[in-house]
Amino acid sequence: MRVGAASMVDASTCGQVQSVLAKLSLCRTHVLGGREYLCNDCGKSSSRYNSCGDRHCPQCSGSKRVDFNDKASKLILSGVAYYQVVFTLPSDLSELALANRNELADLLVSTAWKSLSKNIKSEQDYDPAAISVLHTWNQKLEAHWHVHMLVPGAGPSLSGDDWKEAKTPPGVRNSDGYYLVDSEKLKEDFRKRAIAKLRRLRRDGKLKLGGKFEYLQSDENWEVFVKNLESTQWVAYIQPPPKETSGGGEVVNYLTRYLTSGPISNHRITAADSDEVVFMAREGKRVGGEREQVPIKLSVPEFTRRWCLHIQPDQLTKSRYFGGWSNNRLAGYMARCQELLGTEPEVSETPTEAVDSMDSQWEPPSLPECAHCGSIELSLVCETPKPTWKELFWRESETCPEWYAERQRESHREFWTAHYGSDYYDWYLETQVEVAMETGPEPAKAIQMYLPGLTPGVSFEIESF
């Protein structure tokens, strides 16, 4: 990512993508500060640098994964079957989501839950719950928006005071003994709800329709687009526990793996240099199960571009809790479940071990080791605090990545050119004067330098008639 950032960032790259790439390029480098240790055995020094902490950084998400895994694992009850349900947007909507991330994420997740909740209540008559985790990629890092949901196959009855498990309806062939809801009805309900919400978003002017989708500003073209979506087979895939001994913890671990890291992990990358990246990806249309792994070769700019497709706005929440597991109902719901079952939450394996076993990019917190002899007998020599991002990313700072500083200078030039003309910025750089400082025994006072045409202590009022 550090190699590819400079090659793919230009004036059209949004500020957040630039900021994320700049943070990742400095992660665990000396400019972020850290700690220096002296080895008591070999006498040599070792340094541990601070991490960037960005939620898109695969190196910095370990503790977040542990927290999620720990919280989700406490919801798992012994003796209950847990299902994974996957809802996927058609490819056209996945592409449209790139310019409407918050809107399409809410459309996908909310309509998926409403469809699932409605069908569980009507078919199985118990109070449902779910955890959802949003994914926006496929194995080739292309836009592929879908949501994974962890769903219990049982719950408190809605029509009585007993506990109800999901049962296969009479007349339905079922070879594995697991059944949640009718998948065809679920798909149809999901499609209807999603399209209805999509129509409302456009009607209310909340959809950005530009570039490839500019033609959808026409009402006639929009109706054709929607009709095609209505005739498309949408995906709502219900995956039962892989085996009778499988617990919900396995699905929790699966969701945890993808919650906070990026769309690709290091172990899938088989080769990389300054020109291209080679990684393994599954191919084929098979839903569920394993597909053939094939090598994918991309140029560094293209690999970086695809990776950046999955940088999400700060306001977009990837994981959500619904129904009985929602924050305002959780305590009462879990107490009711345990009362009816007479059990306590399932004790899963230690969260740190679980997360560590499924993501080799993150190492759990440990005692620092000497980089030279491996000893843990270290003494802290000094500690350098982490600077603020404002300090690090000032365009004239030595710590700012050069490509990021250059983009800031270009943006600065564009701003002043738009307000004062094409020659102003160059004139300003050539004639800028250092802030005059008064000398003497008293602390120096800065003298404000005002922009042309602006004077202090003068205000202007527009008289209304």
Side-chain angles (χ1 to χ4, degrees), residues 216-261:
L216 295 181
Q217 295 179 13
S218 160
D219 291 342
E220 182 179 351
N221 291 336
W222 172 258
E223 287 303 320
V224 173
F225 178 75
V226 172
K227 292 296 183 184
N228 288 334
L229 290 177
E230 290 174 339
S231 62
T232 299
Q233 181 76 7
W234 289 45
V235 174
Y237 173 68
I238 303 173
Q239 182 180 34
K243 50 189 176 182
E244 290 186 7
T245 57
S246 299
E250 293 185 28
V251 182
V252 169
N253 290 344
Y254 176 83
L255 296 180
T256 301
R257 184 187 304 127
Y258 295 103
L259 175 64
T260 48
S261 62

Short mmCIF file of all heavy atoms in Angstrom, two decimals, residues 216-261:
data_model
loop_
_atom_site.label_atom_id
_atom_site.label_comp_id
_atom_site.label_asym_id
_atom_site.label_seq_id
_atom_site.Cartn_x
_atom_site.Cartn_y
_atom_site.Cartn_z
N LEU A 216 -29.33 7.59 -15.28
CA LEU A 216 -30.46 7.27 -14.41
C LEU A 216 -31.17 8.52 -13.89
O LEU A 216 -32.18 8.41 -13.20
CB LEU A 216 -30.00 6.41 -13.23
CG LEU A 216 -29.48 5.01 -13.59
CD1 LEU A 216 -29.08 4.26 -12.34
CD2 LEU A 216 -30.53 4.23 -14.37
N GLN A 217 -30.65 9.69 -14.21
CA GLN A 217 -31.36 10.91 -13.86
C GLN A 217 -32.64 11.06 -14.69
O GLN A 217 -33.56 11.79 -14.30
CB GLN A 217 -30.45 12.12 -14.06
CG GLN A 217 -29.25 12.12 -13.11
CD GLN A 217 -28.34 13.32 -13.32
OE1 GLN A 217 -28.70 14.27 -14.01
NE2 GLN A 217 -27.14 13.27 -12.75
N SER A 218 -32.69 10.36 -15.80
CA SER A 218 -33.90 10.32 -16.62
C SER A 218 -34.90 9.35 -15.99
O SER A 218 -34.56 8.22 -15.67
CB SER A 218 -33.55 9.87 -18.04
OG SER A 218 -34.69 9.39 -18.72
N ASP A 219 -36.15 9.80 -15.83
CA ASP A 219 -37.18 8.95 -15.23
C ASP A 219 -37.40 7.68 -16.06
O ASP A 219 -37.61 6.59 -15.49
CB ASP A 219 -38.51 9.72 -15.12
CG ASP A 219 -38.43 10.82 -14.08
OD1 ASP A 219 -37.52 10.78 -13.23
OD2 ASP A 219 -39.28 11.73 -14.12
N GLU A 220 -37.36 7.81 -17.34
CA GLU A 220 -37.58 6.65 -18.21
C GLU A 220 -36.47 5.62 -18.03
O GLU A 220 -36.73 4.42 -17.89
CB GLU A 220 -37.64 7.11 -19.68
CG GLU A 220 -37.92 5.97 -20.65
CD GLU A 220 -38.01 6.46 -22.09
OE1 GLU A 220 -38.01 7.70 -22.30
OE2 GLU A 220 -38.07 5.61 -23.00
N ASN A 221 -35.22 6.09 -18.03
CA ASN A 221 -34.10 5.17 -17.83
C ASN A 221 -34.12 4.55 -16.44
O ASN A 221 -33.75 3.39 -16.26
CB ASN A 221 -32.78 5.90 -18.06
CG ASN A 221 -32.56 6.28 -19.52
OD1 ASN A 221 -33.14 5.67 -20.42
ND2 ASN A 221 -31.76 7.30 -19.75
N TRP A 222 -34.55 5.33 -15.47
CA TRP A 222 -34.61 4.82 -14.10
C TRP A 222 -35.60 3.66 -14.01
O TRP A 222 -35.32 2.64 -13.37
CB TRP A 222 -35.02 5.94 -13.15
CG TRP A 222 -35.30 5.46 -11.75
CD1 TRP A 222 -36.51 5.26 -11.17
CD2 TRP A 222 -34.33 5.08 -10.77
NE1 TRP A 222 -36.38 4.80 -9.88
CE2 TRP A 222 -35.05 4.68 -9.61
CE3 TRP A 222 -32.94 5.04 -10.74
CZ2 TRP A 222 -34.40 4.24 -8.45
CZ3 TRP A 222 -32.29 4.62 -9.59
CH2 TRP A 222 -33.03 4.22 -8.46
N GLU A 223 -36.74 3.79 -14.64
CA GLU A 223 -37.75 2.74 -14.59
C GLU A 223 -37.24 1.45 -15.26
O GLU A 223 -37.49 0.35 -14.77
CB GLU A 223 -39.04 3.20 -15.26
CG GLU A 223 -39.82 4.22 -14.45
CD GLU A 223 -40.18 3.69 -13.06
OE1 GLU A 223 -40.54 2.50 -12.95
OE2 GLU A 223 -40.06 4.45 -12.09
N VAL A 224 -36.50 1.59 -16.34
CA VAL A 224 -35.93 0.42 -16.99
C VAL A 224 -34.91 -0.24 -16.07
O VAL A 224 -34.87 -1.47 -15.94
CB VAL A 224 -35.25 0.83 -18.32
CG1 VAL A 224 -34.50 -0.37 -18.93
CG2 VAL A 224 -36.28 1.35 -19.31
N PHE A 225 -34.11 0.58 -15.40
CA PHE A 225 -33.10 0.07 -14.47
C PHE A 225 -33.76 -0.72 -13.34
O PHE A 225 -33.32 -1.83 -12.99
CB PHE A 225 -32.31 1.26 -13.91
CG PHE A 225 -31.27 0.89 -12.89
CD1 PHE A 225 -30.08 0.30 -13.26
CD2 PHE A 225 -31.48 1.18 -11.54
CE1 PHE A 225 -29.11 -0.02 -12.31
CE2 PHE A 225 -30.52 0.86 -10.59
CZ PHE A 225 -29.34 0.27 -10.97
N VAL A 226 -34.82 -0.16 -12.78
CA VAL A 226 -35.51 -0.81 -11.67
C VAL A 226 -36.20 -2.10 -12.14
O VAL A 226 -36.19 -3.11 -11.43
CB VAL A 226 -36.53 0.15 -11.02
CG1 VAL A 226 -37.39 -0.59 -10.00
CG2 VAL A 226 -35.80 1.30 -10.36
N LYS A 227 -36.79 -2.06 -13.32
CA LYS A 227 -37.44 -3.27 -13.85
C LYS A 227 -36.43 -4.41 -14.01
O LYS A 227 -36.75 -5.58 -13.74
CB LYS A 227 -38.10 -2.97 -15.20
CG LYS A 227 -39.30 -2.03 -15.13
CD LYS A 227 -40.44 -2.66 -14.33
CE LYS A 227 -41.66 -1.74 -14.32
NZ LYS A 227 -42.74 -2.29 -13.46
N ASN A 228 -35.22 -4.07 -14.43
CA ASN A 228 -34.18 -5.09 -14.54
C ASN A 228 -33.82 -5.66 -13.18
O ASN A 228 -33.58 -6.87 -13.04
CB ASN A 228 -32.92 -4.50 -15.20
CG ASN A 228 -33.11 -4.24 -16.69
OD1 ASN A 228 -33.94 -4.89 -17.33
ND2 ASN A 228 -32.36 -3.30 -17.23
N LEU A 229 -33.79 -4.80 -12.15
CA LEU A 229 -33.51 -5.28 -10.80
C LEU A 229 -34.63 -6.20 -10.31
O LEU A 229 -34.37 -7.20 -9.63
CB LEU A 229 -33.37 -4.10 -9.83
CG LEU A 229 -32.13 -3.22 -9.99
CD1 LEU A 229 -32.19 -2.06 -9.01
CD2 LEU A 229 -30.84 -4.03 -9.77
N GLU A 230 -35.85 -5.86 -10.67
CA GLU A 230 -36.99 -6.68 -10.25
C GLU A 230 -36.98 -8.05 -10.90
O GLU A 230 -37.51 -9.02 -10.34
CB GLU A 230 -38.29 -5.94 -10.57
CG GLU A 230 -38.52 -4.71 -9.70
CD GLU A 230 -39.74 -3.92 -10.12
OE1 GLU A 230 -40.17 -4.07 -11.29
OE2 GLU A 230 -40.27 -3.15 -9.30
N SER A 231 -36.39 -8.16 -12.08
CA SER A 231 -36.34 -9.44 -12.78
C SER A 231 -35.06 -10.23 -12.48
O SER A 231 -34.88 -11.34 -12.97
CB SER A 231 -36.46 -9.22 -14.30
OG SER A 231 -35.38 -8.44 -14.78
N THR A 232 -34.17 -9.62 -11.68
CA THR A 232 -32.91 -10.27 -11.34
C THR A 232 -33.08 -11.18 -10.13
O THR A 232 -33.83 -10.88 -9.21
CB THR A 232 -31.82 -9.21 -11.03
OG1 THR A 232 -31.62 -8.40 -12.19
CG2 THR A 232 -30.51 -9.86 -10.62
N GLN A 233 -32.39 -12.30 -10.13
CA GLN A 233 -32.41 -13.22 -9.00
C GLN A 233 -31.49 -12.67 -7.91
O GLN A 233 -30.28 -12.62 -8.07
CB GLN A 233 -31.94 -14.61 -9.43
CG GLN A 233 -31.94 -15.65 -8.32
CD GLN A 233 -33.34 -16.15 -7.99
OE1 GLN A 233 -34.30 -15.83 -8.66
NE2 GLN A 233 -33.44 -16.95 -6.94
N TRP A 234 -32.05 -12.25 -6.79
CA TRP A 234 -31.25 -11.73 -5.69
C TRP A 234 -30.79 -12.90 -4.81
O TRP A 234 -31.39 -13.97 -4.81
CB TRP A 234 -32.06 -10.73 -4.87
CG TRP A 234 -32.31 -9.42 -5.58
CD1 TRP A 234 -32.70 -9.27 -6.87
CD2 TRP A 234 -32.16 -8.11 -5.05
NE1 TRP A 234 -32.83 -7.94 -7.19
CE2 TRP A 234 -32.50 -7.20 -6.07
CE3 TRP A 234 -31.80 -7.61 -3.81
CZ2 TRP A 234 -32.47 -5.83 -5.88
CZ3 TRP A 234 -31.77 -6.24 -3.61
CH2 TRP A 234 -32.10 -5.35 -4.63
N VAL A 235 -29.72 -12.65 -4.03
CA VAL A 235 -29.12 -13.71 -3.23
C VAL A 235 -29.45 -13.51 -1.75
O VAL A 235 -29.19 -12.45 -1.18
CB VAL A 235 -27.60 -13.77 -3.41
CG1 VAL A 235 -26.98 -14.80 -2.46
CG2 VAL A 235 -27.25 -14.11 -4.86
N ALA A 236 -30.06 -14.54 -1.15
CA ALA A 236 -30.22 -14.62 0.30
C ALA A 236 -29.92 -16.07 0.65
O ALA A 236 -30.77 -16.95 0.52
CB ALA A 236 -31.63 -14.22 0.72
N TYR A 237 -28.71 -16.32 1.06
CA TYR A 237 -28.22 -17.69 1.26
C TYR A 237 -28.21 -18.04 2.75
O TYR A 237 -27.63 -17.32 3.56
CB TYR A 237 -26.83 -17.81 0.67
CG TYR A 237 -26.15 -19.13 0.95
CD1 TYR A 237 -26.62 -20.31 0.37
CD2 TYR A 237 -25.04 -19.20 1.78
CE1 TYR A 237 -26.00 -21.53 0.62
CE2 TYR A 237 -24.41 -20.41 2.03
CZ TYR A 237 -24.89 -21.56 1.46
OH TYR A 237 -24.28 -22.76 1.72
N ILE A 238 -28.83 -19.14 3.11
CA ILE A 238 -28.90 -19.59 4.50
C ILE A 238 -27.95 -20.77 4.67
O ILE A 238 -28.12 -21.81 4.04
CB ILE A 238 -30.33 -20.00 4.89
CG1 ILE A 238 -31.30 -18.84 4.66
CG2 ILE A 238 -30.38 -20.46 6.35
CD1 ILE A 238 -32.76 -19.23 4.85
N GLN A 239 -26.94 -20.59 5.52
CA GLN A 239 -25.97 -21.66 5.75
C GLN A 239 -26.16 -22.22 7.16
O GLN A 239 -25.97 -21.51 8.16
CB GLN A 239 -24.54 -21.14 5.61
CG GLN A 239 -23.48 -22.22 5.78
CD GLN A 239 -22.08 -21.66 5.64
OE1 GLN A 239 -21.82 -20.53 6.03
NE2 GLN A 239 -21.19 -22.46 5.07
N PRO A 240 -26.51 -23.48 7.27
CA PRO A 240 -26.67 -24.09 8.60
C PRO A 240 -25.32 -24.37 9.23
O PRO A 240 -24.28 -24.21 8.58
CB PRO A 240 -27.42 -25.39 8.29
CG PRO A 240 -26.97 -25.75 6.91
CD PRO A 240 -26.79 -24.43 6.18
N PRO A 241 -25.30 -24.80 10.50
CA PRO A 241 -24.03 -25.20 11.11
C PRO A 241 -23.37 -26.27 10.26
O PRO A 241 -24.04 -27.17 9.75
CB PRO A 241 -24.45 -25.75 12.48
CG PRO A 241 -25.77 -25.08 12.76
CD PRO A 241 -26.43 -24.92 11.44
N PRO A 242 -22.05 -26.20 10.05
CA PRO A 242 -21.39 -27.17 9.17
C PRO A 242 -21.48 -28.61 9.66
O PRO A 242 -21.43 -29.54 8.86
CB PRO A 242 -19.93 -26.69 9.15
CG PRO A 242 -19.79 -25.81 10.35
CD PRO A 242 -21.12 -25.20 10.58
N LYS A 243 -21.63 -28.81 10.97
CA LYS A 243 -21.77 -30.16 11.51
C LYS A 243 -22.51 -30.09 12.84
O LYS A 243 -22.69 -29.02 13.42
CB LYS A 243 -20.40 -30.81 11.69
CG LYS A 243 -19.40 -29.94 12.44
CD LYS A 243 -18.02 -30.54 12.38
CE LYS A 243 -17.00 -29.62 13.05
NZ LYS A 243 -15.62 -30.15 12.99
N GLU A 244 -22.95 -31.23 13.31
CA GLU A 244 -23.77 -31.27 14.52
C GLU A 244 -23.06 -30.71 15.73
O GLU A 244 -23.68 -30.14 16.62
CB GLU A 244 -24.23 -32.71 14.81
CG GLU A 244 -25.24 -33.26 13.81
CD GLU A 244 -25.76 -34.62 14.22
OE1 GLU A 244 -25.43 -35.07 15.34
OE2 GLU A 244 -26.50 -35.24 13.42
N THR A 245 -21.76 -30.86 15.77
CA THR A 245 -21.00 -30.39 16.93
C THR A 245 -20.60 -28.92 16.81
O THR A 245 -19.98 -28.37 17.71
CB THR A 245 -19.73 -31.23 17.10
OG1 THR A 245 -18.95 -31.16 15.88
CG2 THR A 245 -20.07 -32.68 17.41
N SER A 246 -20.96 -28.28 15.68
CA SER A 246 -20.57 -26.88 15.48
C SER A 246 -21.39 -25.96 16.38
O SER A 246 -22.61 -26.11 16.48
CB SER A 246 -20.77 -26.48 14.02
OG SER A 246 -19.98 -27.26 13.16
N GLY A 247 -20.72 -25.02 17.00
CA GLY A 247 -21.40 -24.03 17.81
C GLY A 247 -21.40 -22.69 17.12
O GLY A 247 -20.78 -22.49 16.08
N GLY A 248 -22.13 -21.74 17.71
CA GLY A 248 -22.17 -20.40 17.13
C GLY A 248 -20.83 -19.72 17.16
O GLY A 248 -20.57 -18.79 16.40
N GLY A 249 -19.93 -20.18 18.05
CA GLY A 249 -18.61 -19.58 18.14
C GLY A 249 -17.84 -19.64 16.84
O GLY A 249 -17.04 -18.75 16.54
N GLU A 250 -18.07 -20.69 16.04
CA GLU A 250 -17.37 -20.80 14.76
C GLU A 250 -17.78 -19.69 13.81
O GLU A 250 -16.95 -19.13 13.09
CB GLU A 250 -17.65 -22.17 14.13
CG GLU A 250 -17.05 -23.33 14.90
CD GLU A 250 -17.25 -24.67 14.19
OE1 GLU A 250 -17.35 -24.66 12.95
OE2 GLU A 250 -17.32 -25.70 14.88
N VAL A 251 -19.08 -19.36 13.79
CA VAL A 251 -19.54 -18.27 12.93
C VAL A 251 -19.05 -16.94 13.49
O VAL A 251 -18.70 -16.02 12.74
CB VAL A 251 -21.08 -18.28 12.81
CG1 VAL A 251 -21.54 -17.17 11.87
CG2 VAL A 251 -21.56 -19.63 12.31
N VAL A 252 -19.03 -16.80 14.81
CA VAL A 252 -18.52 -15.58 15.43
C VAL A 252 -17.07 -15.35 15.00
O VAL A 252 -16.68 -14.23 14.63
CB VAL A 252 -18.61 -15.66 16.97
CG1 VAL A 252 -17.82 -14.51 17.61
CG2 VAL A 252 -20.05 -15.60 17.42
N ASN A 253 -16.26 -16.42 15.04
CA ASN A 253 -14.86 -16.29 14.62
C ASN A 253 -14.75 -15.90 13.15
O ASN A 253 -13.90 -15.10 12.76
CB ASN A 253 -14.13 -17.61 14.86
CG ASN A 253 -13.93 -17.90 16.33
OD1 ASN A 253 -14.07 -17.01 17.17
ND2 ASN A 253 -13.61 -19.14 16.65
N TYR A 254 -15.66 -16.46 12.32
CA TYR A 254 -15.65 -16.14 10.89
C TYR A 254 -15.97 -14.66 10.68
O TYR A 254 -15.29 -13.96 9.92
CB TYR A 254 -16.69 -17.00 10.18
CG TYR A 254 -16.84 -16.69 8.70
CD1 TYR A 254 -15.97 -17.25 7.77
CD2 TYR A 254 -17.84 -15.84 8.24
CE1 TYR A 254 -16.09 -16.97 6.42
CE2 TYR A 254 -17.97 -15.56 6.89
CZ TYR A 254 -17.09 -16.13 5.99
OH TYR A 254 -17.22 -15.83 4.65
N LEU A 255 -16.97 -14.15 11.37
CA LEU A 255 -17.34 -12.75 11.22
C LEU A 255 -16.25 -11.84 11.78
O LEU A 255 -15.98 -10.77 11.24
CB LEU A 255 -18.67 -12.47 11.93
CG LEU A 255 -19.90 -13.20 11.39
CD1 LEU A 255 -21.13 -12.82 12.21
CD2 LEU A 255 -20.13 -12.87 9.93
N THR A 256 -15.64 -12.27 12.87
CA THR A 256 -14.59 -11.47 13.49
C THR A 256 -13.43 -11.25 12.54
O THR A 256 -12.84 -10.17 12.48
CB THR A 256 -14.07 -12.16 14.76
OG1 THR A 256 -15.15 -12.34 15.67
CG2 THR A 256 -12.99 -11.33 15.44
N ARG A 257 -13.11 -12.26 11.76
CA ARG A 257 -11.97 -12.18 10.84
C ARG A 257 -12.11 -11.02 9.88
O ARG A 257 -11.13 -10.37 9.50
CB ARG A 257 -11.84 -13.49 10.07
CG ARG A 257 -10.63 -13.56 9.15
CD ARG A 257 -10.66 -14.81 8.28
NE ARG A 257 -10.77 -16.01 9.08
CZ ARG A 257 -11.69 -16.94 8.89
NH1 ARG A 257 -12.61 -16.77 7.96
NH2 ARG A 257 -11.71 -18.01 9.64
N TYR A 258 -13.34 -10.75 9.47
CA TYR A 258 -13.56 -9.73 8.44
C TYR A 258 -14.04 -8.39 8.99
O TYR A 258 -14.28 -7.46 8.23
CB TYR A 258 -14.59 -10.23 7.42
CG TYR A 258 -14.13 -11.42 6.64
CD1 TYR A 258 -14.60 -12.70 6.93
CD2 TYR A 258 -13.19 -11.28 5.63
CE1 TYR A 258 -14.16 -13.81 6.22
CE2 TYR A 258 -12.75 -12.39 4.91
CZ TYR A 258 -13.24 -13.63 5.21
OH TYR A 258 -12.81 -14.72 4.51
N LEU A 259 -14.21 -8.29 10.29
CA LEU A 259 -14.85 -7.10 10.84
C LEU A 259 -14.00 -5.86 10.67
O LEU A 259 -14.47 -4.83 10.20
CB LEU A 259 -15.17 -7.31 12.33
CG LEU A 259 -15.74 -6.08 13.03
CD1 LEU A 259 -17.09 -5.72 12.43
CD2 LEU A 259 -15.86 -6.32 14.52
N THR A 260 -12.75 -5.90 11.08
CA THR A 260 -11.98 -4.67 11.18
C THR A 260 -10.80 -4.58 10.23
O THR A 260 -10.25 -3.52 10.03
CB THR A 260 -11.45 -4.51 12.61
OG1 THR A 260 -10.86 -5.75 13.02
CG2 THR A 260 -12.57 -4.18 13.57
N SER A 261 -10.37 -5.69 9.66
CA SER A 261 -9.25 -5.61 8.73
C SER A 261 -9.74 -5.27 7.33
O SER A 261 -10.94 -5.15 7.09
CB SER A 261 -8.49 -6.94 8.71
OG SER A 261 -9.32 -7.98 8.26
#
